Amino acid sequence: RQSTVVITGTSSGVGLQAAKALAQTGQWHVVMACRNLSKTEEAAQSVGIPKGSYTIIHLDLASLDSVRQFVKDFRATGRSLDALVCNAAIYMPLIKEPLWSPDGYELSVATNHLGHFLLCNLMLEDLKKSSASEPRLVILGTVTHNPNELGGKIPPRPDLGDLKGFEAGFKAPYTMIDGKKFEPVKAYKDSKVCNVLTMRELHRRYHESTGITFSSLYPGCVATTALFRDHYPLFQKLFPIFQKYITGGFVSEEEAGKRVAEVVADPAYNQSGMYWSWGNRQKKNGKSFVQTVSNEASDDDKAERLWELSAKLVGLA
Ligand code: NDP
């Protein structure tokens, strides 16, 4: 039987390459969940994802209505859901003023965390019905979530604080989860801490009762992706060179996509609650290992509190 995986944000970068790696096996049908359908179709064709091995369905993670509609549209296909990959993200390091989602939340946290949080909660029901022996839910993390690691030391550091901004309802004038001043780079890093906390809380709440494997990964520094498109042009030019020749952290989009595909499909990754990494300094044939997450991302009380507040913000509670 062919399995079905939903991957968010497959119009470029890591998600596109993960879609390709899974579709190519012939064992997976990939549902590409994207906000720009024609861009995604062109991208799928340009990297040679076999026709018939994928379906594109509209999803704008910034909009909670769109997330709900996506789930309805997916269910209407009649497919069973065997894996879900939360991959899409935005990073807007240069903006001075916050941008807002249709629901009135700061855009990067709304897209990267709240949209995925609602999607995971709704699609948990679909994953529970999967007849696959190892249904999985994978959320992309990043080294910058962790100030204990070299790649995470550069300020501003992520810090959800005591979740004041979320507690206050996270609408203007609140722009940051900790309730402090708007800082777009920190907003991205905070959202990635939320991604790891969400994965761990999903594991704590649902792994035993459902058998679903929940995991996260740092795919390596994929310095060429469109994630950096809103950065200075000079940064976009120098960052891949710096990562290739100085830090040794550089990973191609194709390699990163394969890593995601492994975490989705390879029996070796069937351990729930784990955060996988291939390290910062990439070695040829380097092996993956379970990486310790940051102090904040391993705080179980915070994970629970974040869950409760996020559920309120997306209308689940
Ligand atoms: P890209 O910018 O190439 O891909 C991001 C994808 O997300 C695109 O398909 C984009 O679609 C989609 N997306 C953005 N906003 C929305 C939205 N509102 N609704 C639906 N889809 C949306 O970046 P990467 O491939 O680099 O990033 C993928 C993941 O990998 C992210 O979670 C990132 O945090 C993580 N990561 C990346 C690293 C890197 O070095 N690049 C390192 C560590 C982790 P569109 O084309 O429409 O904008």
Side-chain angles (χ1 to χ4, degrees):
R1 185 183 77 91
Q2 216 188 21
S3 300
T4 301
V5 56
V6 167
I7 311 179
T8 67
T10 50
S11 62
S12 65
V14 180
L16 176 62
Q17 292 296 337
K20 181 181 172 183
L22 286 165
Q24 269 178 343
T25 63
Q27 287 164 6
W28 289 89
H29 185 85
V30 182
V31 172
M32 303 172 82
C34 293
R35 59 180 170 172
N36 185 333
L37 303 182
S38 56
K39 180 180 174 185
T40 306
E41 181 59 51
E42 273 167 38
Q45 287 181 23
S46 77
V47 298
I49 304 183
K51 272 238 175 283
S53 67
Y54 64 92
T55 306
I56 303 174
I57 301 181
H58 184 263
L59 167 66
D60 179 356
L61 283 159
S63 154
L64 299 173
D65 281 347
S66 173
V67 173
R68 291 183 184 280
Q69 186 59 46
F70 169 80
V71 175
K72 282 190 196 142
D73 294 342
F74 171 77
R75 288 176 183 162
T77 66
R79 290 186 172 276
S80 83
L81 182 71
D82 306 301
L84 168 64
V85 181
C86 299
N87 161 81
I90 50 167
Y91 175 52
M92 297 170 299
L94 302 181
I95 56 172
K96 300 274 180 272
E97 296 296 326
L99 299 172
W100 302 98
S101 76
D103 304 289
Y105 301 135
E106 187 279 316
L107 194 60
S108 45
V109 169
T111 306
N112 306 354
H113 169 55
L114 292 172
H116 278 135
F117 179 84
L118 178 60
L119 185 70
C120 289
N121 271 278
L122 298 177
M123 296 209 106
L124 205 55
E125 294 313 310
D126 304 85
L127 280 173
K128 279 184 199 163
K129 294 185 197 134
S130 163
S131 58
S133 54
E134 300 177 359
R136 294 187 191 175
L137 192 162
V138 178
I139 308 182
L140 269 283
T142 175
V143 68
T144 50
H145 96 271
N146 191 350
N148 297 335
E149 284 191 67
L150 189 64
K153 284 204 190 307
I154 307 158
R157 295 183 180 185
D159 182 7
L160 309 184
D162 50 12
L163 305 169
K164 272 260 153 23
F166 264 21
E167 263 179 13
F170 203 48
K171 297 216 164 138
Y174 289 96
T175 57
M176 300 294 285
I177 297 174
D178 63 8
K180 294 187 181 154
K181 198 172 126 280
F182 181 63
E183 210 322 329
V185 174
K186 181 174 177 295
Y188 170 79
K189 292 182 182 179
D190 284 353
S191 75
K192 300 308 284 184
V193 172
C194 292
N195 286 158
V196 181
L197 284 167
T198 300
M199 180 280 287
R200 293 187 64 256
E201 185 65 9
L202 278 163
H203 165 73
R204 196 183 67 80
R205 288 180 182 233
Y206 300 112
H207 173 63
E208 249 179 57
S209 58
T210 65
I212 299 167
T213 294
F214 301 97
S215 41
S216 210
L217 75 149
Y218 168 56
C221 181
V222 205
T224 51
T225 71
L227 192 67
F228 305 102
R229 67 186 153 192
D230 294 320
H231 219 306
Y232 295 114
L234 189 65
F235 176 90
Q236 293 177 36
K237 220 171 156 171
L238 295 181
F239 190 50
I241 299 173
F242 176 72
Q243 292 294 347
K244 251 184 207 159
Y245 301 110
I246 299 175
T247 67
F250 181 82
V251 172
S252 70
E253 295 178 26
E254 206 171 0
E255 178 59 29
K258 281 188 196 152
R259 290 175 176 181
V260 174
E262 278 177 30
V263 177
V264 171
D266 192 317
Y269 297 85
N270 194 31
Q271 290 180 63
S272 190
M274 301 300 161
Y275 177 90
W276 299 95
S277 173
W278 282 254
N280 260 319
R281 293 191 155 267
Q282 305 299 320
K283 296 185 200 87
K284 227 181 157 35
N285 305 321
K287 293 249 182 314
S288 60
F289 54 92
V290 171
Q291 172 84 291
T292 315
V293 300
S294 72
N295 300 347
E296 183 164 48
S298 38
D299 181 338
D300 291 342
D301 293 338
K302 200 167 261 191
E304 200 171 347
R305 190 77 194 114
L306 178 74
W307 182 284
E308 284 162 6
L309 293 170
S310 301
K312 270 194 200 152
L313 295 179
V314 302
L316 285 174

